[in-house]
Amino acid sequence: MASAPSKLYADDVSLVVVLLDTNLFFWSSSSVSFSQFLSQVLAFLNAILTLNQLNQVVVIATGYNSCDYIFDSALDLNRGIENGRMPAMSSSLLQKLEKFLIKDEQLSKEEPEGRIKSSLFSGSLSMSLCYMQRVFRSGALHPHPRILCLQGSPDGPEQYVAIMNAIFSAQRSKVPIDSCYIGAQNSAFLQQASYITGGVHHKPQNLDGLFQYLMTIFATDLHSRSFIHLPKSVGVDFRASCFCHKNTIDMGYICSVCLSIFCKHQKKCSTCGSVFGQAQSEVASASDKKRKTPET
Amino acid sequence: MPQVKIIAKNFMDMVASLPAIKLDMLYRNQFICEAILRSLPPLAKKYVLQMLYIDDPITSKSLQEWVIADGSSKHKVSIDRLIQLRVFEVIDRKKETTYKLNPTFQTSLRKHLIYGGILPREPMPPNVIARLPTSEELDAYALEQWECFLLQLISSGQAEKSSSFSSSMMRIFQRGFLRQREKEAPRLTESGFQFLLMDTSAQLWYVIREYISNSEEQGVDQADLIAFLLELSFHTTGEAYNLDTLTDYQTAMIKDLADLGLVKLQKGRKESWFIPTKLATNLSVSLADTTSRKQGFVVVETNFRMYAYSSSKLHCEILRLFSRVEYQLPNLIVAAITKESLYNAFENGITADQIVTFLQQNAHPRVAEKVPSVPENVTDQIRLWETDLHRVEMTPAHHYDEFPSRDVFEAASDFARMHSGLLWEDANKMRMVVRAEIHMLMREHLRSQNK
């Protein structure tokens, strides 16, 4: 469904949904401390709200087992700003974050060994898209939304299908997904998300200056992006995960009906149920194209 | 007819024209920095935030590299604006110009981003104040005050009560809007009409600008008034603030602002307070050139009939400017756009574009979703009727005939062309039409030819 036309008030009104990675496994082994990171993010959020009276910010925390909203500027700031906006915003955000982290930890069960300690990125991405649908359907004039992902955890291949579905849905609603990766390796999911939806992906070199990166690149409103040089994607990692074992694969088998990817030859497609033909010999079997084409 | 335009001079231009020392003092106030930041064009806002934590000056060339070629005009506009408001300081070295953020501005904005700003006054506790008006009551109050003021401004007989503005103040506001001849009721001038068709926030800023420029003559400092106004826009709508927290000049100004509908004054048993309305808190939104956001009320149909869902006298007056109002019901005004009414409007100096823009900006939400919100046949016809008046262009001229020889004719036509006065010529029959201004020159030339 095409998104409702968003009439812009001024050209630079923005609605930013920030997906904050709070995965404890990542932050306990990261070079920069979570409190330093959070103070820079809070200043960045305040800067966005300062830019225009009509700007809105929503923060969703991405935990290890769950995700939740921890801040919505439209709700929280209607109360008086007697003490100044920053203290009110920070205190409300930090309180909710603390409650969320406690809840998230309680949900941890026994995990099988060897699972990559990734955060529930697919969950928070879906939550933000639901929020945006609510904004679209409210019917009133609204600014054009975008998503900013601050991720450090590695990618979890078991979330591949959910994340790709969310990315295509964002593409259809014309919502750009910006991503800022603060972990050690590269994140294929974030690169693909920004590439497909037309957002910006960047991996800052120096995490002490995160605020400057955020201000320079990610605070740019959608209208100004057509005039400003922004980091272009150098090479995007398009590797997919197989649907059966959730491993990342380069070459595999694809169902010709529903385009699901499998690493080994199957008799029947698990997604659509179509029966495959007889197995061909290894030499003769042509490996199908390894890239999954986006559904439109 | 002459196209007179009201230069709705930007409030920010007035701020930029303050002397440097005063401007620096203004920048010590965090809220003013925020208001000024919001008034900048989007590219300029970005530059300010990017340079906020950079202490060394940046060359203008590296600033230019941030923008792609398409945006170079916007880049130039933004840089000029920043220099005008003295947010950017220009350091001209031998080889290249560099820019640096104004240090006062930089410190204030940094503090504002990290710690947030604290208003100089707090809302009063609920036990002291009597019943606060609800937001609907407050909005209705603001609208009523503003409309009453506007109606009085255009000296319409419809204004029910007069505001407490002194007649000299009203005359200053009306300067340029009304023309009064002897024994006649005052008539609106062209700029007056254009003012009425402007957006509410633009009108509000115009009135405030006039008010502040006028106060300079009465000895009140412009910078203080500007600072108070910008601060006012950061208060919370609907909260009561004690009048004791205001200085003397602010108290004087508050009464005038109440007449405009920006604040509501209330008295309790011991104390009195003021309550900012939406008009006041939306001031900082309308600082930059933004499109209008208020809810429209006009539905235009393809049969040239207009239905305006409004009971406001001001709206009725505005619609009367260019359409024929047929019925006025308690919540609806029915009007028709006719050739006569439009000719009337054009004669008064309103352009077709202004009328079309007004209709589009005030389109009722039901039709605002449609593209186009005003039917094309109506907009096209309005424009056509306007060009009707310009179809024939008249230039005083002289017609020359019966040239003795072709040489004389050609010499004369070259002469006329040199003086850019040749309007028409027929080489076969040796006739030409020349502008009246160079008629005497032509005569001299032809006489000299005859000799």
Side-chain angles (χ1 to χ4, degrees), chain B residues 99-308:
Chain B
Y99 300 119
K100 203 164 97 74
L101 267 190
N102 181 326
T104 330
F105 187 84
Q106 198 174 18
T107 336
S108 303
L109 198 56
R110 278 187 198 176
K111 264 197 283 188
H112 191 68
L113 278 189
I114 309 292
Y115 301 113
I118 303 184
L119 281 174
R121 57 191 67 86
E122 288 185 2
M124 295 173 37
N127 50 353
V128 180
I129 46 184
R131 189 183 72 93
L132 273 183
T134 65
S135 60
E136 291 87 16
E137 284 174 19
L138 207 56
D139 283 345
Y141 168 80
L143 197 60
E144 189 194 321
Q145 290 288 94
W146 176 242
E147 285 201 357
C148 183
F149 172 75
L150 270 190
L151 282 173
Q152 206 190 0
L153 192 63
I154 58 177
S155 211
S156 149
Q158 306 265 3
E160 282 164 356
K161 53 183 163 96
S162 58
S163 61
S164 67
F165 277 111
S166 65
S167 54
S168 57
M169 275 304 291
M170 289 305 282
R171 262 203 292 278
I172 293 178
F173 289 140
Q174 287 168 336
R175 181 174 49 195
F177 287 162
L178 290 184
R179 197 193 305 133
Q180 184 158 25
R181 296 198 200 106
E182 287 182 11
K183 296 184 203 162
E184 265 183 27
R187 265 190 80 237
L188 271 185
T189 61
E190 291 142 4
S191 17
F193 283 118
Q194 289 173 10
F195 176 78
L196 273 187
L197 289 182
M198 275 195 313
D199 189 25
T200 307
S201 46
Q203 290 171 336
L204 190 58
W205 277 118
Y206 183 87
V207 169
I208 290 181
R209 217 201 87 245
E210 290 291 315
Y211 179 81
I212 292 187
S213 339
N214 183 51
S215 65
E216 184 86 354
E217 296 156 27
Q218 293 180 349
V220 187
D221 191 10
Q222 252 187 10
D224 290 332
L225 287 182
I226 295 177
F228 178 57
L229 259 177
L230 291 178
E231 236 177 49
L232 189 60
S233 64
F234 288 103
H235 289 53
T236 324
T237 321
E239 293 276 352
Y241 296 91
N242 202 331
L243 274 181
D244 293 337
T245 54
L246 298 177
T247 64
D248 292 329
Y249 68 84
Q250 287 175 344
T251 321
M253 196 182 180
I254 270 279
K255 297 214 176 58
D256 292 328
L257 292 182
D259 279 327
L260 287 175
L262 287 178
V263 299
K264 186 173 163 80
L265 294 173
Q266 269 188 331
K267 272 204 187 47
R269 246 179 284 155
K270 289 187 208 159
E271 292 152 344
S272 27
W273 54 84
F274 69 92
I275 308 170
T277 65
K278 276 231 178 77
L279 275 183
T281 51
N282 280 340
L283 275 180
S284 75
V285 185
S286 46
L287 271 178
D289 296 320
T290 63
T291 53
S292 149
R293 292 158 296 111
K294 60 177 191 260
Q295 199 175 43
F297 57 97
V298 177
V299 179
V300 184
E301 290 192 341
T302 51
N303 58 354
F304 289 84
R305 286 179 83 84
M306 259 192 336
Y307 299 92

Side-chain angles (χ1 to χ4, degrees), chain A residues 93-167:
Chain A
L93 196 152
L94 290 171
Q95 276 174 355
K96 291 215 183 116
L97 182 61
E98 200 177 320
K99 279 193 225 156
F100 167 74
L101 286 172
I102 297 175
K103 223 172 43 167
D104 191 48
E105 198 177 329
Q106 287 171 343
L107 289 170
S108 280
K109 332 183 267 267
E110 273 301 312
E111 290 291 341
E113 276 297 320
R115 186 201 136 171
I116 303 179
K117 308 278 188 236
S118 61
S119 56
L120 201 59
F121 182 48
S122 56
S124 51
L125 203 51
S126 313
M127 275 181 100
S128 58
L129 288 171
C130 287
Y131 181 84
M132 285 179 188
Q133 278 301 312
R134 194 181 356 140
V135 170
F136 287 152
R137 281 163 215 237
S138 66
L141 298 174
H142 57 267
H144 203 86
R146 64 182 195 268
I147 300 181
L148 170 61
C149 314
L150 296 169
Q151 275 291 98
S153 320
D155 291 337
E158 68 275 5
Q159 300 178 39
Y160 174 74
V161 180
I163 292 185
M164 290 314 283
N165 285 338
I167 293 176

Side-chain angles (χ1 to χ4, degrees), chain A residues 2-250:
Chain A
S3 70
S6 58
K7 289 189 201 157
L8 300 175
Y9 301 141
D11 289 346
D12 68 330
V13 184
S14 20
L15 165 60
V16 187
V17 180
V18 180
L19 307 182
L20 202 60
D21 188 1
T22 60
N23 187 357
L24 295 168
F25 291 103
F26 165 68
W27 283 113
S28 52
S29 56
S30 156
S31 52
V32 65
S33 77
F34 187 63
S35 54
Q36 269 183 330
F37 167 74
L38 201 56
S39 58
Q40 305 205 36
V41 171
L42 280 173
F44 167 69
L45 295 177
N46 197 18
I48 294 206
L49 290 171
T50 309
L51 277 178
N52 196 307
Q53 191 169 352
L54 302 166
N55 279 355
Q56 268 180 270
V57 170
V58 178
V59 183
I60 299 179
T62 317
Y64 185 62
N65 292 308
S66 60
C67 329
D68 202 4
Y69 293 96
I70 52 177
F71 180 70
D72 186 345
S73 69
L75 303 173
D76 288 347
L77 292 185
N78 278 340
R79 286 175 288 132
I81 49 173
E82 307 92 41
N83 295 331
R85 186 168 60 217
M86 261 309 262
M89 178 171 95
S90 320
S91 70
S92 132
L93 196 152
L94 290 171
Q95 276 174 355
K96 291 215 183 116
L97 182 61
E98 200 177 320
K99 279 193 225 156
F100 167 74
L101 286 172
I102 297 175
K103 223 172 43 167
D104 191 48
E105 198 177 329
Q106 287 171 343
L107 289 170
S108 280
K109 332 183 267 267
E110 273 301 312
E111 290 291 341
E113 276 297 320
R115 186 201 136 171
I116 303 179
K117 308 278 188 236
S118 61
S119 56
L120 201 59
F121 182 48
S122 56
S124 51
L125 203 51
S126 313
M127 275 181 100
S128 58
L129 288 171
C130 287
Y131 181 84
M132 285 179 188
Q133 278 301 312
R134 194 181 356 140
V135 170
F136 287 152
R137 281 163 215 237
S138 66
L141 298 174
H142 57 267
H144 203 86
R146 64 182 195 268
I147 300 181
L148 170 61
C149 314
L150 296 169
Q151 275 291 98
S153 320
D155 291 337
E158 68 275 5
Q159 300 178 39
Y160 174 74
V161 180
I163 292 185
M164 290 314 283
N165 285 338
I167 293 176
F168 294 134
S169 147
Q171 183 194 30
R172 193 132 337 114
S173 323
K174 300 199 186 60
V175 173
I177 300 182
D178 298 333
S179 47
C180 180
Y181 187 67
I182 49 184
Q185 305 108 353
N186 271 318
S187 163
F189 291 161
L190 289 182
Q191 285 177 344
Q192 289 193 46
S194 300
Y195 177 80
I196 293 175
T197 55
V200 177
H201 172 83
H202 193 67
K203 183 167 182 282
Q205 305 289 347
N206 186 350
L207 283 176
D208 289 333
L210 184 64
F211 178 72
Q212 190 68 16
Y213 285 103
L214 290 175
M215 285 326 305
T216 314
I217 306 174
F218 297 107
T220 326
D221 56 276
L222 295 177
H223 172 75
S224 305
R225 283 187 189 196
S226 29
F227 311 118
I228 298 193
H229 284 300
L230 288 170
K232 290 202 197 17
S233 58
V234 181
V236 185
D237 186 355
F238 276 120
R239 279 182 307 172
S241 337
C242 69
F243 283 38
C244 40
H245 306 106
K246 314 292 184 201
N247 300 327
T248 317
I249 54 173
D250 287 355

